[in-house]
Amino acid sequence: MLKLADPNLLRDSLFIDGAWVKPPKCGTFAVQNPANGQQLAALPLAGRDQARAAVDAAARAFPDWAARPARERSQLLRRWHGLVLENVDDLARILTAEQGKPLSEARGEILYGAAFFEWFAEEAKRVYGETIPAPNADQRLLVIRQPIGVCAAITPWNFPMAMIPRKAAPALAAGCTMVLKPASATPLSALALAELASRAGIPAGVFNVVPGGAKTVGDELVTNSSVRKLTFTGSTEVGRELMAKASTNIKKVSLELGGNAPLLVFDDAHLETAVAGAMASKFRNMGQTCVCANRIYAQDGIYDRFVEALSAAVSKLKVGDGFEDQVQQGPLIDEAAVQKTLEHLQDAVRLGGKVLTGGSRHSLGGTFFEPTVISGATAEMLVAREETFGPLAPIFRFSSEAEAIRLANDTEYGLAAYFFTRDNGRVWRLGSALEFGVIGINTGVTSYEGAPFGGLKASGIGREGSHLGIDEFLEVKYLCVADIARPAA
C-alpha cells in the first residue's frame, strides 16, 4: 500500500519490553490517511494494564541501562541514528501517509529528528560533575549527576518523527528508560522508530511504545509512582492537567505547550526576506505548528507592500496529497482542525478583516483548506488571542517599536516570536524585550538540535535540545566526604 522498501517498518502492535504484542482483550483503533481517508492500519488500543506493563518493563531495565558506560549508550544511539538515515525514505512515506504533510517536508522532519540521536550520543559522554572547595581541611565536596529513572513521554501528531527523538535521545543518553504514548493520529511513526531501536540493539524495556487513550494510558503514566519524569508536548490546557496530576507524587515535568507567535515586520526590513520568513514560519505543515506565526504585524511604512507580496506568494502554494510532486500544502489533520480555522476566518471577516487570497475549504474536499491571508486584522479578533493551527495568516498594523513590543507580548503564551529589521540596535532591544523562549531574527526557521527549545509563561517549562536538554533527565547529588585526614589504622 505504501510501497515501502522495508515493509517491516509498518507495525501494528504495541512495543513492550522489547517485544511486539497484541493483547487479546484490547480494542483496536484505525489509523487513517487524512488526505483520502484510507485506513493504514488497525492498532491495539492500549489501556491501563498495558501502560503499567510498559512502566514495569522500563523499571526492570533501568538499573542495567543506567549502569552501562556512557560510551556504550552513545554507541547504541549512534546505531539508531544511522538506521534512521538508512531508512529515511520509508519513514517519510509512513509520516506523510498518517500525518498528511508533503513528502519532502516529511523527509526534512526525519533528518531533523535523527540529528537528536547524534547530538545526544555525544552528550551522553559529557554528563560532568564538579568539585567544590571544602570549608574544612578533612573534607572533600563532590557533585554528581545521575539519571532520574523511568521517564514517560507524551508526543503530538504534528511532528511525530521530530518530537520523539527530541525526548527519547536525551533520556536514553542520560541513562533513563522510557515509555512513550504517541498521538493516536500518528502512532505508526513511533512504532517504526521502535523497530529501528530494536535493530540498533537498544535493550528490551529501555524504550517502549504504547498507543492509547489519554484517560487510560496517559493517566497511568502521569500517576504511576515508578515514573519519575514526564515530558509532554501538546496544548496548554492538557499540560496544566498533567502538571497537576504529576504533583501528587512530585514527578519532575518538562512541558512544551501552546503558542501564539507574533511576527513583526519593521519599515526597514528587507521585504523579500520578510515574506520568505513569514511563508516558512506560517505555512510549514499547513500552519499546524506551535511555533508558526499566528499574528503577523507590519509597520505602517511597509504594510501595503508586505501585504501585497505575501498574498502573491501564498496564492502560488500548491495544495494536494503529500505524495504528489511539488505539493507544498497537504490536508489538515482532521475535521476539527478545519472547523477551528473556519471559525477564526469567519470571526475575522465579521470584524472587518479582508480576505486577500484563499478564504475557504479547498476544492479537493476532505480536510484540505486554501492557504489564506487576511488584512486589517485587529486585537478584538479570535486570531489575536487564540492559536489557529491552520493555514490562516492575519496581518495587523503597528506604528512604533514600543507598540510592536506591547502587541507582541500581549498574550499568555511565550514560545516563539519573529521579527525582521536591518537596525542592529533594534535587534538587541527586541531580543531582550520580547517575552518568548525562541526568537527568530530575519528568519522564520530556528530549528537546530544544538539550540535550546522551550517557552516562557503558559508555553511551558524546561528545554529540549542543546547541552541543556540532557539536564531535564538528570538528578544532581551532593557528596560530602569527611574524616579524610586521619590515616587508616
Side-chain angles (χ1 to χ4, degrees), residues 112-124 126 145 162-171 173 229 231 233 254-256 437-438 446-455 461-474:
Y112 169 65
F116 287 95
F117 290 130
E118 182 181 43
W119 176 269
F120 285 107
E122 291 301 309
E123 290 301 302
R126 300 190 182 108
R145 296 156 76 204
M163 297 300 100
I164 294 169
R166 205 160 77 176
K167 298 178 186 300
K229 163 68 191 257
T231 172
T233 296
S254 55
L255 306 171
E256 194 267 281
V438 178
T446 59
S447 299
Y448 170 51
E449 69 275 8
F453 181 89
I461 55 175
R463 292 296 180 268
E464 295 180 327
S466 85
H467 69 281
L468 300 173
I470 201 167
D471 290 343
E472 300 290 336
F473 300 92
L474 295 167

Side-chain angles (χ1 to χ4, degrees), residues 369-397:
F369 201 92
E370 294 177 343
T372 302
V373 177
I374 296 175
S375 65
T378 63
E380 293 75 27
M381 297 174 179
L382 289 175
V383 290
R385 304 189 306 275
E386 299 179 4
E387 190 175 28
T388 303
F389 237 62
L392 172 61
I395 308 179
F396 303 72
R397 184 188 293 269

Side-chain angles (χ1 to χ4, degrees), residues 114-153:
F116 287 95
F117 290 130
E118 182 181 43
W119 176 269
F120 285 107
E122 291 301 309
E123 290 301 302
K125 298 180 287 184
R126 300 190 182 108
V127 178
Y128 300 140
E130 61 180 296
T131 60
I132 301 171
N136 301 301
D138 70 338
Q139 291 181 318
R140 295 295 183 268
L141 310 184
L142 310 172
V143 175
I144 62 174
R145 296 156 76 204
Q146 295 180 304
I148 193 169
V150 176
C151 300

Side-chain angles (χ1 to χ4, degrees), residues 34-35 319-321 329-332 338 361-362 364-370:
V319 180
D321 189 308
Q329 299 280 284
L332 295 181
V338 174
R361 289 176 177 268
H362 199 276
L364 290 171
T367 60
F368 290 96
F369 201 92
E370 294 177 343

Side-chain angles (χ1 to χ4, degrees), residues 140-412:
R140 295 295 183 268
L141 310 184
L142 310 172
V143 175
I144 62 174
R145 296 156 76 204
Q146 295 180 304
I148 193 169
V150 176
C151 300
I154 301 177
T155 54
W157 51 263
N158 55 342
F159 290 99
M161 285 287 192
M163 297 300 100
I164 294 169
R166 205 160 77 176
K167 298 178 186 300
L172 270 59
C176 299
T177 55
M178 176 168 278
V179 179
L180 167 68
K181 189 195 98 63
S184 295
T186 56
L188 301 179
S189 293
L191 295 170
L193 286 174
E195 170 65 20
L196 295 180
S198 180
R199 295 181 191 181
I202 302 296
V206 171
F207 182 69
N208 308 270
V209 181
V210 280
K215 299 296 184 183
T216 51
V217 172
D219 189 70
E220 178 65 30
L221 295 182
V222 77
T223 58
N224 190 308
S225 60
S226 295
V227 175
R228 298 309 311 145
K229 163 68 191 257
L230 170 71
T231 172
F232 168 75
T233 296
S235 72
T236 295
E237 292 73 23
V238 174
R240 286 191 178 105
E241 294 178 11
L242 293 175
M243 191 174 185
K245 287 185 177 181
S247 70
T248 60
N249 49 31
I250 319 298
K251 215 181 294 295
K252 187 175 182 180
V253 298
S254 55
L255 306 171
E256 194 267 281
L257 306 177
N260 187 4
L263 185 148
L264 312 173
V265 182
F266 288 90
D267 285 344
D268 65 342
H270 186 270
L271 181 61
E272 289 76 14
T273 299
V275 170
M279 293 291 291
S281 173
K282 174 69 255 186
F283 293 98
R284 184 161 59 112
N285 197 21
M286 295 75 75
Q288 299 175 121
T289 87
C290 53
V291 296
C292 77
N294 199 61
R295 301 169 289 148
I296 301 176
Y297 297 91
Q299 198 167 11
D300 291 332
I302 200 172
Y303 186 91
D304 291 337
R305 289 184 294 130
F306 176 77
V307 166
E308 181 181 0
L310 181 65
S311 299
V314 171
S315 68
K316 297 176 183 177
L317 289 173
K318 182 177 180 180
V319 180
D321 189 308
F323 286 106
E324 296 176 6
D325 290 341
Q326 299 180 331
V327 164
Q328 298 159 292
Q329 299 280 284
L332 295 181
I333 190 66
D334 56 26
E335 181 61 26
V338 174
Q339 288 302 319
K340 186 173 185 181
T341 304
L342 278 171
E343 179 187 8
H344 282 199
L345 171 63
Q346 292 164 358
D347 174 77
V349 171
R350 179 178 63 83
L351 292 174
K354 180 181 178 183
V355 176
L356 302 179
T357 188
S360 64
R361 289 176 177 268
H362 199 276
S363 59
L364 290 171
T367 60
F368 290 96
F369 201 92
E370 294 177 343
T372 302
V373 177
I374 296 175
S375 65
T378 63
E380 293 75 27
M381 297 174 179
L382 289 175
V383 290
R385 304 189 306 275
E386 299 179 4
E387 190 175 28
T388 303
F389 237 62
L392 172 61
I395 308 179
F396 303 72
R397 184 188 293 269
F398 72 91
S399 298
S400 68
E401 181 179 307
E403 182 187 13
I405 294 171
R406 178 182 60 79
L407 292 169
N409 288 339
D410 187 20
T411 174
E412 69 170 324

